[in-house]
Coordinates of all heavy atoms in Angstrom, one line a residue:
M1 N 101.9 39.6 326.8 CA 101.2 38.4 326.9 C 99.7 38.8 327.3 O 99.5 39.4 328.3 CB 101.9 37.5 327.8 CG 101.2 36.1 327.9 SD 102.3 35.0 328.8 CE 102.3 33.6 327.8
T2 N 98.7 38.3 326.5 CA 97.3 38.6 326.9 C 96.8 37.7 327.9 O 97.4 36.6 328.2 CB 96.5 38.5 325.5 OG1 96.5 37.2 325.1 CG2 97.0 39.5 324.5
L3 N 95.6 38.1 328.4 CA 94.9 37.3 329.4 C 94.5 35.9 328.9 O 94.8 34.9 329.6 CB 93.7 38.0 329.9 CG 92.8 37.2 330.9 CD1 93.6 37.0 332.2 CD2 91.6 38.0 331.2
R4 N 94.1 35.8 327.7 CA 93.7 34.5 327.2 C 94.8 33.5 327.0 O 94.7 32.3 327.0 CB 92.9 34.6 325.9 CG 93.6 35.0 324.7 CD 92.7 35.0 323.5 NE 93.2 36.1 322.7 CZ 92.6 36.5 321.6 NH1 91.6 35.9 321.2 NH2 93.1 37.5 321.0
N5 N 96.0 34.1 326.8 CA 97.2 33.3 326.6 C 97.8 32.8 328.0 O 98.5 31.8 328.1 CB 98.4 34.1 325.9 CG 98.0 34.3 324.5 OD1 97.2 33.6 323.9 ND2 98.6 35.3 323.9
R6 N 97.5 33.5 329.1 CA 98.0 33.2 330.4 C 97.1 32.1 331.0 O 97.5 31.4 331.9 CB 98.1 34.4 331.3 CG 99.3 35.3 330.9 CD 99.4 36.4 331.8 NE 98.4 37.4 331.4 CZ 98.2 38.4 332.1 NH1 98.9 38.8 333.2 NH2 97.3 39.3 331.7
L7 N 95.8 32.1 330.6 CA 94.9 31.1 331.2 C 95.1 29.7 330.7 O 95.4 29.5 329.5 CB 93.4 31.5 331.0 CG 93.0 32.8 331.7 CD1 91.6 33.1 331.3 CD2 93.0 32.5 333.2
P8 N 94.9 28.7 331.5 CA 95.0 27.3 330.9 C 93.8 27.0 330.0 O 92.7 27.8 330.1 CB 94.8 26.4 332.2 CG 95.0 27.3 333.3 CD 94.7 28.7 332.9
E9 N 94.0 26.2 329.1 CA 92.9 26.0 328.0 C 91.6 25.5 328.6 O 90.6 26.1 328.1 CB 93.5 24.8 327.1 CG 92.6 24.6 325.8 CD 92.6 25.8 324.9 OE1 93.6 26.5 324.9 OE2 91.6 26.0 324.2
P10 N 91.4 24.7 329.6 CA 90.1 24.4 330.1 C 89.4 25.6 330.7 O 88.2 25.8 330.6 CB 90.4 23.3 331.2 CG 91.7 22.7 330.8 CD 92.5 23.8 330.2
V11 N 90.1 26.5 331.4 CA 89.5 27.6 332.0 C 89.1 28.6 330.9 O 88.0 29.2 331.0 CB 90.6 28.3 333.0 CG1 90.0 29.7 333.5 CG2 90.9 27.4 334.1
S12 N 89.9 28.7 329.9 CA 89.6 29.7 328.8 C 88.3 29.1 328.1 O 87.5 30.0 327.7 CB 90.7 29.7 327.8 OG 90.5 30.5 326.7
R13 N 88.3 27.9 327.9 CA 87.0 27.2 327.2 C 85.8 27.5 328.1 O 84.7 27.8 327.5 CB 87.2 25.8 327.0 CG 87.5 25.5 325.5 CD 87.5 24.0 325.3 NE 88.9 23.6 325.2 CZ 89.4 22.5 325.7 NH1 88.6 21.7 326.3 NH2 90.7 22.3 325.6
S14 N 85.9 27.4 329.4 CA 84.8 27.5 330.3 C 84.3 28.9 330.3 O 83.1 29.2 330.3 CB 85.2 27.1 331.7 OG 85.6 25.8 331.8
I15 N 85.3 29.9 330.3 CA 84.9 31.3 330.3 C 84.2 31.6 329.0 O 83.2 32.3 328.9 CB 86.1 32.2 330.5 CG1 86.6 32.0 332.0 CG2 85.8 33.6 330.3 CD1 87.9 32.8 332.2
G16 N 84.7 31.1 327.8 CA 84.0 31.3 326.6 C 82.6 30.7 326.5 O 81.7 31.4 326.0
F17 N 82.4 29.5 327.1 CA 81.1 29.0 327.1 C 80.2 29.7 328.0 O 79.1 30.0 327.7 CB 81.3 27.5 327.6 CG 79.9 26.8 327.6 CD1 79.3 26.5 326.4 CD2 79.3 26.4 328.7 CE1 78.1 25.7 326.4 CE2 78.2 25.7 328.7 CZ 77.5 25.4 327.5
G18 N 80.7 30.2 329.1 CA 79.9 31.0 330.0 C 79.5 32.3 329.4 O 78.3 32.8 329.5
S19 N 80.4 32.9 328.6 CA 80.1 34.1 327.8 C 79.0 33.9 326.9 O 78.2 34.8 326.6 CB 81.4 34.7 327.2 OG 82.2 35.0 328.2
L20 N 79.1 32.7 326.2 CA 78.0 32.4 325.2 C 76.7 32.3 325.9 O 75.6 32.8 325.4 CB 78.3 31.1 324.5 CG 77.5 30.8 323.3 CD1 77.5 31.7 322.2 CD2 77.9 29.3 322.9
I21 N 76.6 31.8 327.1 CA 75.3 31.6 327.8 C 74.9 33.0 328.2 O 73.6 33.4 328.1 CB 75.5 30.7 329.0 CG1 75.7 29.3 328.6 CG2 74.3 30.8 330.0 CD1 76.0 28.3 329.6
V22 N 75.8 33.9 328.6 CA 75.4 35.3 329.0 C 74.8 36.0 327.8 O 73.8 36.7 327.8 CB 76.6 36.1 329.6 CG1 76.4 37.6 329.6 CG2 77.0 35.5 330.9
M23 N 75.4 35.8 326.6 CA 75.0 36.4 325.3 C 73.5 36.0 325.0 O 72.7 36.8 324.8 CB 75.9 36.1 324.2 CG 75.5 36.8 322.9 SD 74.7 35.9 321.6 CE 75.3 34.3 321.5
I24 N 73.3 34.7 325.1 CA 72.0 34.1 324.8 C 70.9 34.6 325.7 O 69.9 35.1 325.3 CB 72.1 32.6 324.7 CG1 72.8 32.1 323.5 CG2 70.6 32.0 324.6 CD1 73.1 30.7 323.5
L25 N 71.2 34.6 327.0 CA 70.2 34.9 328.0 C 70.0 36.5 328.0 O 68.9 37.0 328.0 CB 70.7 34.6 329.4 CG 70.6 33.1 329.7 CD1 71.2 32.8 331.1 CD2 69.2 32.6 329.6
G26 N 71.1 37.3 327.7 CA 71.0 38.7 327.7 C 70.2 39.1 326.5 O 69.3 40.0 326.6
L27 N 70.3 38.6 325.4 CA 69.6 38.9 324.2 C 68.1 38.5 324.3 O 67.2 39.3 324.0 CB 70.2 38.3 322.9 CG 71.5 38.9 322.5 CD1 72.0 38.2 321.2 CD2 71.4 40.4 322.2
A28 N 67.9 37.4 324.8 CA 66.4 36.9 325.0 C 65.7 37.7 326.0 O 64.6 38.1 325.7 CB 66.4 35.4 325.3
V29 N 66.3 37.9 327.1 CA 65.6 38.6 328.2 C 65.5 40.1 327.8 O 64.4 40.8 328.0 CB 66.3 38.5 329.5 CG1 65.8 39.5 330.6 CG2 66.2 37.0 330.0
G30 N 66.5 40.6 327.2 CA 66.5 42.0 326.7 C 65.4 42.2 325.7 O 64.7 43.3 325.7
Y31 N 65.3 41.4 324.7 CA 64.3 41.5 323.7 C 62.9 41.5 324.2 O 62.1 42.3 323.9 CB 64.5 40.4 322.7 CG 63.4 40.4 321.6 CD1 63.4 41.4 320.6 CD2 62.4 39.5 321.6 CE1 62.4 41.4 319.6 CE2 61.3 39.6 320.6 CZ 61.4 40.5 319.6 OH 60.4 40.5 318.7
I32 N 62.7 40.5 325.2 CA 61.3 40.4 325.8 C 61.0 41.7 326.6 O 59.9 42.3 326.5 CB 61.3 39.2 326.7 CG1 61.3 37.9 325.8 CG2 60.0 39.2 327.6 CD1 61.5 36.6 326.6
L33 N 61.9 42.1 327.5 CA 61.7 43.3 328.3 C 61.5 44.6 327.4 O 60.6 45.4 327.7 CB 62.8 43.5 329.3 CG 62.9 42.5 330.5 CD1 64.1 42.9 331.3 CD2 61.6 42.7 331.3
F34 N 62.3 44.7 326.4 CA 62.1 45.9 325.5 C 60.8 45.9 324.8 O 60.1 46.9 324.7 CB 63.3 45.9 324.4 CG 63.1 47.1 323.5 CD1 63.4 48.4 324.0 CD2 62.8 46.9 322.2 CE1 63.3 49.4 323.1 CE2 62.7 47.9 321.4 CZ 63.0 49.3 321.8
M35 N 60.4 44.7 324.3 CA 59.1 44.7 323.6 C 58.0 44.9 324.6 O 56.9 45.5 324.2 CB 58.9 43.4 322.9 CG 59.8 43.3 321.7 SD 59.3 44.5 320.5 CE 60.7 44.7 319.5
V36 N 58.0 44.3 325.8 CA 57.0 44.6 326.8 C 56.9 46.0 327.2 O 55.9 46.6 327.3 CB 57.1 43.6 328.0 CG1 56.3 44.1 329.2 CG2 56.9 42.3 327.7
G37 N 58.1 46.7 327.4 CA 58.1 48.1 327.7 C 57.6 48.9 326.6 O 56.8 49.9 326.9
L38 N 57.9 48.7 325.4 CA 57.5 49.4 324.2 C 55.9 49.1 324.0 O 55.2 50.2 323.8 CB 58.2 49.0 323.0 CG 58.2 49.9 321.8 CD1 58.9 51.2 322.1 CD2 58.9 49.3 320.6
G39 N 55.5 48.0 324.2 CA 54.1 47.8 324.0 C 53.2 48.3 325.1 O 52.1 48.9 324.9
T40 N 53.8 48.4 326.4 CA 53.1 49.0 327.5 C 53.1 50.5 327.3 O 52.1 51.2 327.6 CB 53.8 48.7 328.8 OG1 53.8 47.2 328.9 CG2 53.0 49.2 330.0
Y41 N 54.1 51.1 326.8 CA 54.2 52.6 326.6 C 53.1 53.0 325.6 O 52.5 54.0 325.8 CB 55.6 53.0 326.0 CG 55.7 54.4 325.8 CD1 55.9 55.3 326.8 CD2 55.6 54.9 324.4 CE1 56.0 56.6 326.6 CE2 55.8 56.3 324.2 CZ 56.0 57.1 325.3 OH 56.1 58.5 325.0
F42 N 52.9 52.2 324.6 CA 51.8 52.6 323.6 C 50.4 52.0 323.9 O 49.5 52.2 323.2 CB 52.3 52.1 322.2 CG 53.4 52.9 321.6 CD1 54.6 52.3 321.4 CD2 53.3 54.3 321.3 CE1 55.7 53.1 320.9 CE2 54.3 55.0 320.9 CZ 55.5 54.4 320.6
G43 N 50.3 51.2 325.0 CA 49.1 50.8 325.5 C 48.5 49.5 324.8 O 47.3 49.4 324.7
H44 N 49.4 48.7 324.2 CA 49.0 47.6 323.5 C 49.1 46.3 324.3 O 48.8 45.2 323.7 CB 49.8 47.4 322.2 CG 49.5 48.5 321.3 ND1 48.3 48.8 320.8 CD2 50.4 49.5 320.8 CE1 48.4 49.8 319.9 NE2 49.6 50.3 320.0
T45 N 49.5 46.2 325.5 CA 49.7 45.1 326.3 C 48.7 45.0 327.4 O 48.2 46.0 327.8 CB 51.2 44.9 326.8 OG1 51.5 46.0 327.6 CG2 52.1 44.8 325.7
I46 N 48.6 43.8 328.1 CA 47.7 43.7 329.2 C 48.0 44.6 330.5 O 47.1 45.2 330.9 CB 47.7 42.2 329.6 CG1 47.0 41.4 328.5 CG2 46.8 42.1 330.9 CD1 47.0 39.9 328.6
P47 N 49.3 44.8 330.8 CA 49.5 45.5 332.0 C 49.5 47.1 331.7 O 50.0 47.9 332.5 CB 50.8 45.1 332.6 CG 51.6 44.7 331.3 CD 50.5 44.0 330.5
A48 N 49.0 47.4 330.5 CA 49.1 48.9 330.1 C 48.3 49.8 331.1 O 48.6 50.9 331.3 CB 48.7 49.0 328.7
D49 N 47.3 49.2 331.6 CA 46.4 50.1 332.5 C 47.0 50.3 333.9 O 46.8 51.3 334.6 CB 45.0 49.5 332.7 CG 44.3 49.3 331.4 OD1 44.5 50.2 330.5 OD2 43.4 48.4 331.3
D50 N 47.9 49.3 334.3 CA 48.5 49.3 335.7 C 49.8 50.1 335.7 O 50.2 50.5 336.8 CB 48.7 47.9 336.1 CG 47.3 47.2 336.3 OD1 46.3 47.8 336.5 OD2 47.4 45.9 336.2
L51 N 50.4 50.3 334.6 CA 51.8 50.9 334.6 C 51.7 52.3 333.9 O 51.0 52.5 333.0 CB 52.7 50.0 333.8 CG 53.1 48.6 334.4 CD1 53.9 47.9 333.5 CD2 53.6 48.8 335.8
S52 N 52.5 53.2 334.5 CA 52.6 54.5 333.8 C 53.5 54.5 332.7 O 54.2 53.5 332.5 CB 53.0 55.6 334.9 OG 54.3 55.4 335.2
Q53 N 53.6 55.6 331.9 CA 54.5 55.7 330.8 C 56.0 55.7 331.3 O 56.9 55.2 330.5 CB 54.2 56.8 329.9 CG 52.9 56.6 329.1 CD 52.6 57.7 328.1 OE1 53.2 58.9 328.3 NE2 51.7 57.5 327.2
I54 N 56.2 56.3 332.4 CA 57.5 56.3 333.0 C 58.0 54.9 333.3 O 59.2 54.6 333.1 CB 57.6 57.3 334.1 CG1 57.1 58.6 333.9 CG2 59.0 57.2 334.9 CD1 58.1 59.5 333.1
E55 N 57.2 54.2 333.9 CA 57.5 52.7 334.2 C 57.8 52.0 333.0 O 58.7 51.1 332.9 CB 56.5 52.1 335.1 CG 56.3 52.7 336.4 CD 55.1 52.3 337.2 OE1 54.1 52.0 336.6 OE2 55.2 52.3 338.5
A56 N 57.0 52.2 331.9 CA 57.1 51.4 330.6 C 58.5 51.8 330.0 O 59.1 50.9 329.5 CB 56.0 51.8 329.7
I57 N 58.9 53.1 330.0 CA 60.2 53.5 329.6 C 61.3 52.8 330.3 O 62.3 52.4 329.8 CB 60.3 55.0 329.5 CG1 59.4 55.6 328.5 CG2 61.7 55.4 329.3 CD1 59.3 57.1 328.5
A58 N 61.1 52.8 331.7 CA 62.1 52.1 332.5 C 62.2 50.6 332.2 O 63.4 50.0 332.1 CB 61.7 52.2 334.0
I59 N 61.2 49.9 331.8 CA 61.2 48.5 331.5 C 62.0 48.3 330.2 O 62.7 47.4 329.9 CB 59.8 47.9 331.3 CG1 59.2 47.9 332.8 CG2 59.8 46.6 330.8 CD1 57.7 47.5 332.8
A60 N 61.6 49.2 329.2 CA 62.3 49.2 327.9 C 63.8 49.6 328.1 O 64.7 48.9 327.5 CB 61.7 50.3 326.9
G61 N 64.2 50.5 329.0 CA 65.6 50.7 329.2 C 66.3 49.6 329.8 O 67.4 49.3 329.5
I62 N 65.6 48.9 330.8 CA 66.3 47.6 331.3 C 66.5 46.6 330.2 O 67.5 45.8 330.1 CB 65.4 47.1 332.5 CG1 65.5 48.0 333.6 CG2 65.9 45.7 332.9 CD1 64.4 47.7 334.7
G63 N 65.5 46.5 329.2 CA 65.7 45.6 328.2 C 66.9 46.0 327.3 O 67.6 45.1 326.9
I64 N 67.0 47.2 327.0 CA 68.2 47.6 326.2 C 69.5 47.4 327.0 O 70.5 47.0 326.4 CB 68.1 49.2 325.9 CG1 67.0 49.4 324.9 CG2 69.4 49.7 325.4 CD1 66.6 50.8 324.7
A65 N 69.5 47.6 328.3 CA 70.7 47.2 329.1 C 71.0 45.7 329.0 O 72.1 45.3 329.0 CB 70.5 47.7 330.6
C66 N 70.0 44.9 329.1 CA 70.2 43.4 328.9 C 70.8 43.0 327.6 O 71.6 42.2 327.5 CB 68.9 42.7 329.2 SG 68.4 42.7 330.9
V67 N 70.3 43.8 326.6 CA 70.9 43.6 325.2 C 72.3 43.9 325.2 O 73.2 43.2 324.5 CB 70.0 44.3 324.2 CG1 70.7 44.2 322.8 CG2 68.6 43.6 324.0
A68 N 72.7 45.0 325.9 CA 74.1 45.4 325.9 C 74.9 44.4 326.7 O 76.1 44.1 326.3 CB 74.2 46.8 326.6
I69 N 74.4 43.8 327.7 CA 75.1 42.8 328.4 C 75.3 41.6 327.5 O 76.4 40.9 327.5 CB 74.3 42.4 329.7 CG1 74.5 43.6 330.7 CG2 74.8 41.1 330.3 CD1 73.6 43.5 332.0
G70 N 74.2 41.3 326.7 CA 74.3 40.1 325.8 C 75.5 40.5 324.7 O 76.2 39.5 324.3
Y71 N 75.5 41.7 324.3 CA 76.6 42.1 323.4 C 78.0 41.8 324.0 O 78.9 41.3 323.4 CB 76.4 43.5 322.9 CG 77.6 44.0 322.1 CD1 77.7 43.6 320.8 CD2 78.5 44.9 322.7 CE1 78.8 44.1 320.0 CE2 79.6 45.4 321.9 CZ 79.7 45.0 320.6 OH 80.8 45.4 319.8
F72 N 78.2 42.3 325.2 CA 79.4 42.1 325.9 C 79.8 40.5 326.2 O 80.9 40.1 326.1 CB 79.6 42.8 327.2 CG 79.7 44.3 327.0 CD1 78.8 45.2 327.5 CD2 80.7 44.8 326.2 CE1 78.9 46.6 327.3 CE2 80.8 46.2 325.9 CZ 79.9 47.1 326.5
G73 N 78.7 39.8 326.4 CA 78.9 38.3 326.4 C 79.4 37.8 325.1 O 80.2 36.9 325.0
W74 N 78.8 38.3 323.9 CA 79.3 37.9 322.6 C 80.8 38.2 322.5 O 81.6 37.5 321.9 CB 78.4 38.5 321.6 CG 78.9 38.2 320.2 CD1 79.3 39.1 319.3 CD2 78.8 37.0 319.5 NE1 79.7 38.5 318.1 CE2 79.4 37.2 318.2 CE3 78.4 35.7 319.9 CZ2 79.5 36.1 317.3 CZ3 78.5 34.7 318.9 CH2 79.1 34.9 317.7
K75 N 81.1 39.5 322.8 CA 82.5 39.9 322.7 C 83.4 39.0 323.6 O 84.5 38.6 323.2 CB 82.7 41.4 323.1 CG 82.0 42.3 322.2 CD 82.4 42.3 320.8 CE 83.7 43.0 320.6 NZ 84.1 43.1 319.2
G76 N 83.0 38.6 324.8 CA 83.8 37.7 325.6 C 84.0 36.4 325.0 O 85.0 35.8 325.1
F77 N 82.9 35.9 324.4 CA 82.9 34.6 323.8 C 84.0 34.6 322.6 O 84.7 33.7 322.4 CB 81.6 34.2 323.2 CG 81.6 33.0 322.3 CD1 81.8 31.8 322.8 CD2 81.3 33.1 320.9 CE1 81.8 30.6 322.0 CE2 81.4 32.0 320.1 CZ 81.6 30.8 320.7
L78 N 83.9 35.7 321.8 CA 84.8 35.7 320.7 C 86.2 35.9 321.2 O 87.2 35.4 320.5 CB 84.5 36.9 319.8 CG 83.3 36.8 319.0 CD1 83.0 38.0 318.2 CD2 83.3 35.5 318.1
Y79 N 86.5 36.6 322.3 CA 87.8 36.8 322.8 C 88.4 35.5 323.4 O 89.6 35.2 323.1 CB 87.8 37.9 323.9 CG 89.2 38.2 324.4 CD1 90.1 39.0 323.7 CD2 89.6 37.7 325.7 CE1 91.3 39.3 324.2 CE2 90.8 38.0 326.2 CZ 91.7 38.7 325.4 OH 92.9 39.1 326.0
F80 N 87.6 34.7 324.1 CA 88.1 33.5 324.8 C 88.0 32.2 324.0 O 88.6 31.3 324.3 CB 87.4 33.4 326.1 CG 87.9 34.3 327.2 CD1 87.1 35.4 327.6 CD2 89.1 34.2 327.7 CE1 87.6 36.2 328.6 CE2 89.7 35.0 328.7 CZ 88.9 36.1 329.1
S81 N 87.2 32.2 322.9 CA 87.1 31.0 322.2 C 88.1 30.9 321.0 O 88.3 29.8 320.5 CB 85.7 30.8 321.6 OG 85.5 31.9 320.7
Y82 N 88.7 32.0 320.6 CA 89.7 31.8 319.5 C 91.0 32.1 319.9 O 91.4 32.9 320.7 CB 89.2 32.9 318.4 CG 88.0 32.4 317.7 CD1 86.8 33.2 317.9 CD2 87.9 31.3 316.9 CE1 85.6 32.8 317.3 CE2 86.7 30.9 316.4 CZ 85.6 31.7 316.5 OH 84.4 31.4 315.9

């Protein structure tokens, strides 16, 4: 018996909805951070003078991690909503 079968229906729906919110926020924040980090690395954004290339790569890496969290939110939504 799987986890989604053992949970009551309202709890399963709530977890699925929460996972959808995690997906949307993860993808949005991840995209923004990745683009800011990439733009800063190549010197095309406003904070490019204040940040080093190492810090720009770190920002882009955090953006990729947020996108990965958004992906796992999507997988959780698919698991608990069907």
Side-chain angles (χ1 to χ4, degrees):
M1 187 170 224
T2 62
L3 177 64
R4 73 178 145 184
N5 292 337
R6 286 185 283 179
L7 291 175
E9 187 66 29
V11 174
S12 180
R13 253 188 263 140
S14 298
I15 292 173
F17 184 67
S19 296
L20 185 64
I21 291 173
V22 167
M23 187 255 326
I24 291 170
L25 290 176
L27 290 179
V29 171
Y31 176 77
I32 291 168
L33 286 175
F34 179 72
M35 287 300 159
V36 167
L38 199 62
T40 304
Y41 179 77
F42 290 113
H44 295 299
T45 59
I46 294 172
D49 298 333
D50 299 332
L51 298 175
S52 68
Q53 288 185 341
I54 303 287
E55 292 168 331
I57 291 171
I59 292 170
I62 292 169
I64 291 172
C66 287
V67 169
I69 290 170
Y71 173 74
F72 289 123
W74 175 248
K75 296 297 281 184
F77 170 71
L78 291 178
Y79 183 77
F80 284 107
S81 65
Y82 293 110

